[in-house]
């Protein structure tokens, strides 16, 4: 269930007529003018004139599409995946659903939605879907986003960077909880709306009306209901369905090194940030702790099947570990300090996506991972949110640590007694628990050994040239994936692109379906019939693909896709114990939801690369970003697919597209 990214986290494109298009994780093309007023104290990142949650009450509600529109969109997405006979069958089944059971379910969903105006129709079912999934969160759900290095290289020292990131994270947390974090707003006309004048005005508009005030100047406030789960939060395994736990009273940090777990306070009794020099001293103490790796590292249990982990967690509690587990769960977040240095991008991707399984607590809402050579990333648990909050956090932390670091190379750590301030957690483990950890490690090693990751940097063009050609950069990247897959495997397959619906109250994501009749026709022309079309005809096809993809993107961002609506109707039927209509048992429905190409886009000044695993065994997990003059992809696969060859085919596709845009014929 990738969002990167569903991690499957992660982009935002501003283009004419498009409100916003955000992947599981991303927001904002241009860095908004966040610092309305510089913070008067080092306790806050900034002090927003407009309260953080000012727009939340008046956000528009996520619309439920008309059933006939959903069916029309569903059939349009099915068309390129099916032959004529299959399509005729699917069309009949879909029409039958629309005229019968579907109509009843839809009316019931609309009625239910009217009675729950505080939320969205997708919010409950979506939480349920994530929390009821029994697969390991590793590879199946948790994505990662790595930080760019600090431009001042000496600040990439592991201890210095870890200290600065912890301090900035606390400042972010305090800014958010004080209501001083700038609200998340998507500005279509920043010259009007992203100004101090507008902010001073809008702050006086009652929160029940404030959204309309922003809308008047073409600004779209985004849902921030997920933000409270960033800190002091953990996913707790339970049989059948997990639970989300948050305890805002926790003042301590969880640190992991060599599979050992430590806690110490980073917020004092008055709610202030502990002195940075003291935090540095405590982290230095942990980095120099000679305690060997535990024979049975507890963290690996968080990579297990959720029911297995739930059973073992109950046993941990019975064995007298409840207090230690409570400290893990209520910690502000997890900081994983790795003893390994990274060799290249691929090594970083593997380490940040999964690592060795022992020095992670994958259930924490997010973890900051810092390697020996100062490479940093965030790995986050996906059920509580879609990365919108995580990316904002990452952008703010990167900005704060690089522009206003609180400790420096050569800063002396405070002369404090870290040995008494830092507590290494000890766990009582009986034979059964030791065996459970051993088995979890074997399962983990087996799963990650099958994953291959490779990356591509296409340097011959990017966003600037595409926009000059009046083409959507995202549409062209997606077209290149369609062409690449066709070149490699000779077919068009189900493709998923995550799009945020954060413009609505309790919005989550919607799916853009990038495999269309337009991309299929265009891919066939470029790949299978290169000499049969003139340059002008090929350019016209690129234009058609771009236009239609833009329409799909706009529809998805406005809550007018088909995937979430059909999902909610199926969820409703299941909750009533109703037999599923043949729409849902049609092989074509299974095929379109078996997303062989799972994609998510991310561009941000803070993020170097992001990634996630495929969502099906025979799929690709495609994280990508279209930059001004280059295009990057970070792609994962399991053994049934060849990721290296796929990227060669994508590269060739991009070369062909840019050749045609230059007015040259394909050779």
């Amino acid at each position: 269930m990738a969002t990167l990214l569903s991690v499957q986290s992660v982009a935002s494109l501003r283009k004419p007529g498009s409100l916003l298009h955000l992947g599981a994780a991303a927001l904002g093309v241009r860095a908004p003018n966040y610092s309305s007023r510089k913070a008067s104290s080092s306790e806050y990142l900034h002090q927003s004139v407009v309260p953080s949650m000012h727009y939340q009450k008046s956000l528009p509600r996520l619309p439920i599409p008309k059933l006939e529109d959903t069916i029309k969109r569903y059939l349009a997405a099915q068309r390129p995946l099916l032959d004529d006979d299959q399509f005729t069958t699917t069309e009949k089944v879909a029409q039958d659903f629309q005229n019968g059971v579907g109509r009843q379910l839809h009316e019931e969903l609309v009625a239910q939605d009217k009675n729950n105006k505080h939320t969205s129709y997708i919010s409950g079912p979506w939480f349920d879907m994530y929390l009821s999934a029994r697969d390991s969160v590793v590879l199946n759900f948790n994505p990662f986003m790595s930080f760019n290095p600090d431009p001042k290289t000496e600040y990439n020292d592991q201890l210095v960077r870890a200290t600065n990131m912890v301090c900035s994270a606390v400042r972010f947390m305090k800014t958010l909880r004080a209501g001083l974090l700038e609200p998340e707003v998507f500005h279509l006309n920043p010259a009007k709306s992203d100004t101090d004048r507008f902010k001073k005005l809008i702050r006086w508009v009652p929160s029940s009306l404030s959204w309309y005030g922003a809308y008047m100047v073409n600004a779209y406030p985004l849902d921030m209901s997920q933000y409270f789960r960033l800190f002091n939060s953990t996913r707790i395994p339970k049989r059948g369905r997990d639970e989300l736990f948050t305890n805002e009273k926790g003042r301590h940090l969880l640190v992991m090194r060599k599979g050992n777990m430590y806690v110490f306070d980073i917020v004092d009794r008055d709610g202030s940030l502990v002195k940075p020099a003291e935090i540095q001293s405590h982290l230095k103490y942990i980095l120099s702790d000679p305690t060997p790796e535990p024979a049975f590292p507890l963290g690996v249990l968080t990579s297990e099947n959720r029911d297995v982990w739930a059973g073992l967690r109950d046993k941990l509690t019975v064995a007298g570990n409840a207090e230690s587990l409570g400290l893990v769960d209520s910690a502000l977040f997890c900081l994983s300090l790795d003893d390994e240095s990274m060799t290249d991008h691929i090594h970083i991707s593997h380490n940040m996506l999964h690592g060795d399984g022992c020095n992670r607590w994958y259930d924490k809402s997010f973890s900051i991972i810092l390697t020996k050579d100062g490479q940093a990333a965030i790995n986050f648990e996906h059920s509580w949110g879609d990365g919108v909050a995580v990316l904002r956090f990452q952008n703010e932390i990167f900005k704060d640590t690089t522009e206003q670091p609180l400790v420096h190379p050569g800063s002396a750590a405070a002369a404090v007694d870290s040995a008494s301030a830092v507590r290494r957690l000890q766990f009582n483990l009986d034979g059964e628990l030791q065996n459970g950890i051993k088995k979890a490690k074997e399962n983990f090693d087996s799963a990650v050994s099958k994953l291959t990751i490779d990356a591509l940097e296409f340097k011959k063009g990017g966003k600037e040239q595409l926009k000059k050609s009046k083409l959507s950069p995202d549409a062209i990247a997606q077209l290149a994936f369609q062409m690449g897959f066709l070149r490699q495997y000779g077919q068009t397959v189900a493709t998923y692109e995550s799009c945020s619906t954060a413009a609505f109250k309790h919005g989550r994501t919607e799916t853009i379906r990038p495999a269309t009749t337009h991309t299929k026709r265009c891919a066939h022309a470029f790949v299978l019939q290169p000499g049969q079309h003139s340059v002008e005809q090929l350019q016209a096809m690129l234009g058609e693909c771009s236009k239609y993809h833009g329409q799909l993107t706009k529809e998805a961002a406005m809550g007018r896709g088909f995937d979430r609506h059909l999902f909610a109707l199926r969820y409703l039927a299941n909750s009533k114990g109703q037999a599923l209509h043949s729409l849902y048992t049609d092989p074509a429905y299974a095929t379109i939801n078996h997303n062989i190409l799972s994609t998510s886009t991310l561009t941000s000044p803070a993020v170097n690369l992001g990634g996630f695993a495929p969502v099906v065994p025979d799929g690709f997990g495609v994280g990508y970003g279209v930059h001004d003059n280059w295009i990057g992809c970070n792609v994962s696969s399991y053994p049934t697919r060849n990721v290296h060859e796929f990227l060669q085919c994508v590269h060739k596709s991009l070369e062909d597209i840019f050749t045609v845009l230059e007015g040259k014929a394909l050779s």
Side-chain angles (χ1 to χ4, degrees), residues 1-9 23-25 122-137 139-143 226 235-238 240-244 306 363 380-387 496 498 507-511 564 567 570-571 598 600 612 615:
M1 188 42 69
T3 63
L4 180 99
L5 307 322
S6 290
V7 193
Q8 260 182 358
S9 216
I122 200 63
S123 184
W126 210 240
F127 273 119
D128 220 25
M129 180 267 298
Y130 271 121
L131 294 170
S132 302
R134 301 293 83 195
D135 293 331
S136 165
V137 295
L139 302 188
N140 298 302
F141 296 99
N142 286 30
Q226 297 171 5
R235 175 173 173 162
I236 310 280
K238 299 278 181 187
R241 185 187 190 273
D242 293 353
E243 286 171 10
L244 293 173
R306 304 306 293 177
D363 288 354
F380 68 96
E381 197 282 310
H382 216 317
S383 64
W384 63 274
D386 303 299
Y496 179 110
S498 184
R508 295 290 306 239
T509 58
E510 183 52 272
T511 309
R564 297 300 173 271
F567 175 85
R570 187 182 64 175
Y571 181 88
S598 181
S600 199
F612 50 92
V615 296

Side-chain angles (χ1 to χ4, degrees), residues 281-299:
S281 169
H282 300 338
L283 291 174
K284 188 177 179 183
Y285 170 81
I286 291 170
L287 282 168
S288 54
D289 181 10
T291 305
E293 293 178 23
F296 299 99
L298 204 67

Side-chain angles (χ1 to χ4, degrees), residues 364-620:
K364 280 307 275 179
S365 55
F366 74 90
S367 300
I368 294 179
I369 302 163
L370 257 157
T371 62
K372 197 178 178 68
D373 55 342
Q375 294 286 349
I378 290 178
N379 179 295
F380 68 96
E381 197 282 310
H382 216 317
S383 64
W384 63 274
D386 303 299
V388 171
V390 180
L391 189 70
R392 170 71 185 276
F393 171 72
Q394 188 157 3
N395 286 339
E396 293 281 8
I397 296 312
F398 183 74
K399 187 175 191 288
D400 196 49
T401 55
T402 53
E403 292 177 11
Q404 302 179 74
L406 294 180
V407 302
H408 311 276
S411 290
V416 290
D417 182 11
S418 289
S420 61
V422 176
R423 173 177 165 192
R424 182 163 61 83
L425 299 179
Q426 309 271 15
F427 294 90
N428 305 318
L429 304 173
D430 60 20
E432 197 177 357
L433 285 164
Q434 290 180 353
N435 198 40
I437 291 170
K438 190 165 155 277
K439 187 88 181 71
K441 179 68 171 133
E442 287 165 9
N443 291 340
F444 175 89
D445 289 343
S446 166
V448 302
S449 70
K450 297 183 177 81
L451 187 79
T452 306
I453 299 176
D454 200 3
L456 165 154
E457 285 188 4
F458 176 81
K459 296 288 182 62
K460 297 175 187 174
K463 200 184 290 178
E464 281 180 8
Q465 196 179 335
L466 292 170
K467 286 191 165 175
K468 271 182 202 154
S469 304
K470 296 193 167 49
L471 295 173
S472 149
D474 190 60
I476 296 305
Q478 287 289 347
L479 176 61
F481 305 145
Q482 295 299 317
M483 284 186 190
F485 197 90
L486 181 71
R487 187 178 294 278
Q488 188 180 8
Y489 295 105
Q491 60 186 136
T492 297
V493 291
T495 308
Y496 179 110
E497 179 180 1
S498 184
C499 179
S500 171
T501 50
F504 301 96
K505 188 180 288 184
H506 294 191
R508 295 290 306 239
T509 58
E510 183 52 272
T511 309
I512 299 167
R513 292 292 184 170
T516 67
T517 50
H518 301 282
T519 61
K520 189 175 186 176
R521 188 182 310 126
C522 188
H524 275 254
F526 271 76
V527 175
L528 305 177
Q529 314 144 348
Q532 293 174 32
H533 303 270
S534 68
V535 172
E536 291 75 21
Q537 285 173 321
L538 293 174
Q539 287 175 341
M541 286 185 204
L542 293 176
E544 282 298 312
C545 290
S546 173
K547 189 176 156 195
Y548 190 65
H549 186 81
Q551 181 192 322
L552 291 180
T553 300
K554 187 180 175 187
E555 286 174 355
M558 298 305 293
R560 293 197 296 263
F562 68 84
D563 280 85
R564 297 300 173 271
H565 189 194
L566 289 180
F567 175 85
L569 295 174
R570 187 182 64 175
Y571 181 88
L572 182 57
N574 281 334
S575 69
K576 294 167 62 180
Q578 214 170 289
L580 283 181
H581 184 271
S582 49
L583 173 102
Y584 294 111
T585 54
D586 176 14
Y589 182 82
T591 302
I592 202 170
N593 287 297
H594 183 89
N595 291 298
I596 288 172
L597 287 170
S598 181
T599 74
S600 199
T601 176
L602 172 62
T603 49
S604 152
V607 178
N608 183 13
L609 73 165
F612 50 92
V615 296
V616 292
D618 58 339
F620 289 114

Side-chain angles (χ1 to χ4, degrees), residues 151-288:
K152 302 185 292 298
T153 50
E154 66 276 19
Y155 281 82
N156 290 310
D157 170 81
Q158 186 180 25
L159 176 60
V160 171
R161 200 169 197 200
T163 307
N164 279 321
M165 284 197 168
V166 168
C167 293
S168 292
V170 172
R171 280 153 52 81
F172 181 99
M173 182 272 290
K174 285 181 59 69
T175 310
L176 171 67
R177 289 187 182 164
L180 296 171
L181 187 73
E182 191 81 25
E184 195 65 71
V185 178
F186 188 81
H187 299 278
L188 278 178
N189 185 359
K192 257 191 173 177
S193 57
D194 201 9
T195 63
D196 287 343
R197 183 166 172 248
F198 174 74
K199 288 169 187 174
K200 282 172 182 157
L201 183 70
I202 198 73
R203 68 183 289 198
W204 296 110
V205 176
S207 57
S208 55
L209 297 170
S210 54
W211 182 87
Y212 301 94
Y215 176 75
M216 300 292 281
V217 289
N218 229 352
Y220 294 87
L222 302 179
D223 180 77
M224 293 177 74
S225 63
Q226 297 171 5
Y227 278 58
F228 84 100
R229 292 273 188 208
L230 261 172
F231 298 100
N232 303 102
S233 296
T234 302
R235 175 173 173 162
I236 310 280
K238 299 278 181 187
R239 281 194 179 81
R241 185 187 190 273
D242 293 353
E243 286 171 10
L244 293 173
F245 168 88
T246 302
N247 177 1
E248 295 192 354
K249 292 191 178 76
R251 296 187 282 113
H252 57 285
L253 174 69
L254 170 66
V255 182
M256 299 188 72
R257 177 171 172 258
K258 288 187 172 176
N260 290 303
M261 301 168 78
Y262 308 81
V263 292
F264 64 86
D265 284 355
I266 50 176
V267 175
D268 66 21
R269 284 200 176 84
D270 301 328
S272 302
L273 171 69
V274 167
K275 289 193 182 92
E278 288 184 24
I279 292 173
Q280 183 180 1
S281 169
H282 300 338
L283 291 174
K284 188 177 179 183
Y285 170 81
I286 291 170
L287 282 168
S288 54

